[in-house]
Amino acid sequence: MKKHLQVEAIQSGTVIDHISAGQGIKILKFFDLSSESQRITVGLNLPSHDGANKDLIKIEGLTFNKEQGNQLALFAPKATINVIENFEVVNKFKVELPQQIAGVFSCPNSNCISHNEPVDSRFNLTTRAHRTKLKCHYCEKAFDKGLFTELD
Amino acid sequence: MHNPLYNKNIISIPDLSRSELELIVATAQSLKQSPHPELLKNKVIASCFFEASTRTRLSFETAVNRLGGSIIGFPDSGNTSLGKKGETLADSVQVISSYCDAFFMRHHQEGAARLASEFSSVPVINGGDGSNQHPTQTLLDLFSIYETQGSLEKLQVAFVGDLKYGRTVHSLTQALSLFDCEFHFVAPQALSMPDYIIDELKEKGVKFHLHDDLDTVIGSLDIIYMTRVQKERFDETEYQHMKSSFILNAQMLTGVKSNLKVLHPLPRVDEITTDVDRTPYAYYFQQAENGVYARQALLALVMTDEFGV
Ligand SMILES: [Zn+2]
């Protein structure tokens, strides 16, 4: 398998794999990964097992835990996180939608108090009939994933 | 006895359990029967209306006075230096809460009370935050229903008028759905109950029905909750047509159940004709009066540990 990888292996860090094509750049930008001093390798439109193209991000020297990985779930619900030490995968998990997301998205309700106040935005996530909704902790309004400009 | 609401914030109806709602209603009733004019003696309560609302403020301030507390605050932040100096709500709340033992507030932005509760050193009671919640209205509605029916359980309740924008209706259905009530929603298409409430009710397995007019169900009802249809939402001809189908008059009340009561959060415009006022079914003015007892009950429970029935 390793021979087929089109991006260089890393010694230690995190590989985010199985990102739907097109989402890789958004994840980099949104989580501001490229501003960290870690070395980052990005693969775009790589072939995937299921035939669809995927993006992949390798971050040298940064280890994701489950919680950090789950923050990616709204961008890349099928992503897999591989934690690498000494060129070996020491931990591997699929991202899962967290119950709550804080400080990531701003509330789509323009009259919500969370704008312009010294607080992190906070949303509780619910999935019903395959539809994920984010309910604002402050204004109590529930929004479809598609209403967040950050996810466009 | 331990009072579960002592030192708690009262922000949103879904935060309250069935037994907490029952405790508030029972406390309102006991305060209506036996006043405690010194219960909050030496306590200072801030009444902060970042958005003006005269009725709610008078009702709340009456409640504080009847329990012997002192009030500080303002009726409209437009006349204060708060808004003008560009201070955040978080900062205003930290300062004001350091002066008082509890904080009652109304604000035009949704989520304001929840945010305030995170920065306040004393309990916050939400007096309305934008289009979101107005829990004290719901509590006075519950108290009025309990008082007139002797129970909150298994009632047939109709909601009539603007069910889309009427936040009092949304919270009251959320509260009553804990008591196995059956709902009848009577509204013009453009003002029907929002999907998220309908979805919640379906999920909880609550029985509800949609109707085009009140006549078809009026004979089976225990409570009719009327709401105001706001003229601004329609053009003139649409409005004239609309309001004629959602007006309650005395004649419609012939043959109803004897325990039926008509409620309305007030102010009414013309959705209940004045001839209804003279029937035994009208209860909206007593309901407004009950607002004082419901707010007294909340203050008593939130501010004193031992008080509770
Ligand atoms: Zn919000």
Side-chain angles (χ1 to χ4, degrees):
Chain A
M1 271 312 288
K2 273 186 182 165
K3 288 181 188 122
H4 294 282
L5 278 182
Q6 293 171 7
V7 282
E8 207 181 311
I10 58 174
Q11 187 179 358
S12 71
T14 303
V15 178
I16 311 167
D17 198 0
H18 301 291
I19 303 167
S20 305
Q23 295 296 106
I25 295 285
K26 273 185 228 169
I27 289 174
L28 277 181
K29 254 201 227 158
F30 194 76
F31 293 94
D32 213 13
L33 291 170
S34 52
S35 74
E36 314 275 337
S37 53
Q38 290 85 7
R39 191 190 308 166
I40 294 180
T41 318
V42 184
L44 301 178
N45 298 315
L46 305 177
S48 174
H49 305 299
D50 61 7
N53 285 354
K54 66 173 184 181
D55 293 350
L56 180 145
I57 300 173
K58 297 186 172 201
I59 309 157
E60 187 93 50
L62 184 73
T63 306
F64 269 38
N65 59 29
K66 189 116 186 122
E67 199 183 309
Q68 290 163 312
N70 288 347
Q71 296 281 304
L72 305 174
L74 278 173
F75 291 86
K78 291 178 189 156
T80 332
I81 307 283
N82 298 276
V83 179
I84 316 281
E85 273 171 30
N86 273 326
F87 299 102
E88 296 279 333
V89 177
V90 294
N91 189 10
K92 181 171 179 156
F93 54 88
K94 281 185 179 302
V95 300
E96 281 167 23
L97 279 177
Q99 287 187 317
Q100 196 175 74
I101 289 193
V104 178
F105 306 109
S106 61
C107 183
N109 172 10
S110 59
N111 199 39
C112 176
I113 195 74
S114 63
H115 306 290
N116 312 317
E117 288 284 331
V119 290
D120 275 347
S121 69
R122 268 166 75 186
F123 296 92
N124 292 308
L125 272 66
T126 51
T127 304
R128 278 174 203 145
H130 302 289
R131 268 167 70 217
T132 299
K133 290 216 171 207
L134 291 87
K135 186 176 186 189
C136 177
H137 164 75
Y138 290 102
C139 70
E140 303 183 32
K141 305 254 179 298
F143 304 97
D144 281 321
K145 217 176 119 166
L147 285 167
F148 291 82
T149 48
E150 293 92 337
L151 285 164
D152 277 354
Chain B
M1 191 176 74
H2 181 63
N3 157 18
L5 290 170
Y6 179 58
N7 247 330
K8 288 272 174 65
N9 300 299
I10 307 295
I11 307 299
S12 178
I13 287 297
D15 294 347
L16 295 166
S17 67
R18 180 185 154 124
S19 63
E20 287 168 340
L21 293 172
E22 287 171 329
L23 174 64
I24 296 164
V25 164
T27 307
Q29 189 163 52
S30 99
L31 281 167
K32 190 168 182 173
Q33 282 153 6
S34 55
H36 282 247
E38 302 215 329
L39 192 74
L40 300 183
K41 203 177 164 190
N42 303 322
K43 302 263 192 208
V44 177
I45 294 101
S47 158
C48 297
F49 281 70
F50 295 90
E51 173 192 58
S53 172
T54 309
R55 284 158 202 271
T56 302
R57 184 173 59 84
L58 293 179
S59 169
F60 178 75
E61 295 185 2
T62 303
V64 174
N65 284 318
R66 291 238 175 105
L67 293 172
S70 315
I71 298 166
I72 59 167
F74 45 88
D76 179 356
S77 69
N79 295 322
T80 70
S81 60
L82 285 170
K84 292 172 196 141
K85 289 180 180 165
E87 187 183 43
T88 60
L89 177 63
D91 281 4
S92 302
V93 167
Q94 284 183 78
V95 174
I96 297 166
S97 70
S98 73
Y99 303 154
C100 61
D101 302 298
F103 191 116
F104 186 84
M105 66 178 280
R106 189 186 185 95
H107 198 282
H108 67 282
Q109 283 185 285
E110 290 96 48
R114 178 84 63 195
L115 184 130
S117 71
E118 292 167 359
F119 289 89
S120 172
S121 51
V122 298
V124 172
I125 299 173
N126 186 5
D129 59 331
S131 67
N132 185 32
Q133 286 275 328
H134 190 9
T136 60
Q137 175 71 46
T138 305
L139 295 169
L140 76 89
D141 292 341
L142 283 180
F143 174 41
S144 300
I145 293 171
Y146 179 80
E147 190 181 42
T148 59
Q149 307 298 318
S151 164
L152 290 171
E153 261 183 289
K154 297 194 182 353
L155 300 171
Q156 296 286 327
V157 184
F159 294 93
V160 185
D162 180 354
L163 308 187
K164 184 174 183 183
Y165 299 101
R167 64 180 170 182
T168 58
V169 163
H170 305 160
S171 305
L172 188 55
T173 48
Q174 286 173 326
L176 285 176
S177 67
L178 301 175
F179 295 92
D180 205 13
C181 291
E182 192 165 332
F183 301 132
H184 302 272
F185 299 132
V186 187
Q189 189 98 54
L191 295 177
S192 59
M193 208 67 170
D195 288 344
Y196 83 95
I197 298 272
I198 296 287
D199 289 347
E200 266 179 34
L201 295 176
K202 281 184 189 161
E203 220 163 276
K204 292 186 201 159
V206 175
K207 285 194 204 124
F208 67 91
H209 314 272
L210 310 179
H211 305 277
D212 294 328
D213 62 67
L214 195 53
D215 279 343
T216 49
V217 281
I218 202 163
S220 65
L221 299 173
D222 302 305
I223 294 288
I224 299 177
Y225 196 96
M226 298 294 296
T227 65
R228 188 160 52 102
V229 173
Q230 286 179 291
K231 216 173 174 167
E232 320 66 282
R233 309 227 185 257
F234 300 94
D235 70 39
E236 189 58 34
T237 46
E238 238 182 342
Y239 176 74
Q240 289 308 329
H241 169 73
M242 188 97 58
K243 69 172 197 173
S244 65
S245 356
F246 300 94
I247 287 183
L248 182 69
N249 61 48
Q251 206 200 331
M252 291 164 77
L253 291 164
T254 41
V256 295
K257 285 169 72 174
S258 60
N259 63 309
L260 171 77
K261 288 289 179 269
V262 179
L263 302 179
H264 189 298
L266 301 182
R268 72 169 152 183
V269 185
D270 42 18
E271 56 278 351
I272 301 176
T273 57
T274 49
D275 58 358
V276 176
D277 300 0
R278 293 183 296 273
T279 70
Y281 311 109
Y283 208 72
Y284 23 93
F285 293 113
Q286 291 95 322
Q287 178 192 3
E289 181 198 334
N290 278 344
V292 174
Y293 300 111
R295 292 179 176 107
Q296 274 183 257
L298 267 188
L299 287 165
L301 291 167
V302 162
M303 298 185 70
T304 63
D305 193 13
E306 298 310 310
F307 203 83
V309 283

